Amino acid sequence: GESVGLHLPTLSVQEGDNSIINCAYSNSASDYFIWYKQESGKGPQFIIDIRSNMDKRQGQRVTVLLNKTVKHLSLQIAATQPGDSAVYFCAETITDSWGKLQFGAGTQVVVTP
Amino acid sequence: DTAVSQTPKYLVTQMGNDKSIKCEQNLGHDTMYWYKQDSKKFLKIMFSYNNKELIINETVPNRFSPKSPDKAHLNLHINSLELGDSAVYFCASSQDVAPDRAPDTIYFGEGSWLTVV
């Protein structure tokens, strides 16, 4: 079946550096993509989303890039902080799926001092 | 104020037992979900309800029965618990979900850790 996947299961980043988390998706019908952050012992927390009619969207310290040609999604975190340590998930869905999210496998981000 | 709240947070029970997890959202959303996260942290949708009506059922064993008494609540009842049911179960909600509309942000609860021994 079609799936969403991540290239790196663990990403170690030095505090203050920029982080880039990548995600590949294979469902060409997906038109809405979301990044979630999950801290230990907590539920996924919405970070930022992007719709398929855009290729870039910026939030506070985060930027999501969407490349529909190669079906690739990335999350960039600027000036990574210790509080950014978490598992990051990309998720995809399509407009006519009643909000059904298909999640990727997750990337563990570890911020080192 | 907690937007999506689940109880209990932790549940340890024996195989064969029946248990329920409750979920409530105070966001005024129309749609609620149950997701399961396995030991490898993979998240997968189980059910979705829109205005108390079941709209997604992802090939979940019929031992799992969701119930939505009103659109602010979606409970999950599990019969004859098996070892493989051990996981974290997340409730979630969103507004204005419809088949012809782009989805709105989906908000997750804190999770219910179920351990079957």
Side-chain angles (χ1 to χ4, degrees), chain A residues 6 8-9 11 19 21-22 35-39 45 47 61-62 75 77 80-90 103-111:
Chain A
L6 291 168
L8 297 173
L11 179 65
S19 305
I21 307 166
N22 295 301
W35 281 99
Y36 282 91
K37 173 187 180 183
Q38 187 178 20
E39 296 176 78
Q45 179 185 4
I47 302 173
R61 285 202 304 120
V62 294
L75 177 70
I77 306 173
T80 311
Q81 302 169 359
D84 295 328
S85 293
V87 177
Y88 289 80
F89 294 94
C90 64
F103 280 86
T107 293
Q108 176 77 57
V109 172
V110 178
V111 182

Side-chain angles (χ1 to χ4, degrees), chain A:
Chain A
E2 296 184 298
S3 64
V4 176
L6 291 168
H7 298 305
L8 297 173
T10 303
L11 179 65
S12 184
V13 182
Q14 198 159 15
E15 184 177 354
D17 287 352
N18 296 335
S19 305
I20 299 177
I21 307 166
N22 295 301
C23 178
Y25 68 94
S26 57
N27 187 350
S28 57
S30 293
D31 57 8
Y32 179 56
F33 305 87
I34 314 103
W35 281 99
Y36 282 91
K37 173 187 180 183
Q38 187 178 20
E39 296 176 78
S40 180
K42 296 192 174 182
Q45 179 185 4
F46 173 89
I47 302 173
I48 192 167
D49 59 3
I50 189 167
R51 302 196 188 275
S52 59
N53 60 353
M54 304 172 70
D55 53 21
K56 181 179 179 179
R57 191 161 188 227
Q58 288 184 294
Q60 189 176 12
R61 285 202 304 120
V62 294
T63 301
V64 56
L65 299 177
L66 174 63
N67 186 330
K68 294 182 287 293
T69 302
V70 295
K71 297 187 184 66
H72 185 265
L73 191 68
S74 68
L75 177 70
Q76 299 177 4
I77 306 173
T80 311
Q81 302 169 359
D84 295 328
S85 293
V87 177
Y88 289 80
F89 294 94
C90 64
E92 62 175 318
T93 189
I94 56 177
T95 299
D96 63 355
S97 69
W98 288 93
K100 172 184 166 184
L101 293 177
Q102 188 164 356
F103 280 86
T107 293
Q108 176 77 57
V109 172
V110 178
V111 182
T112 57

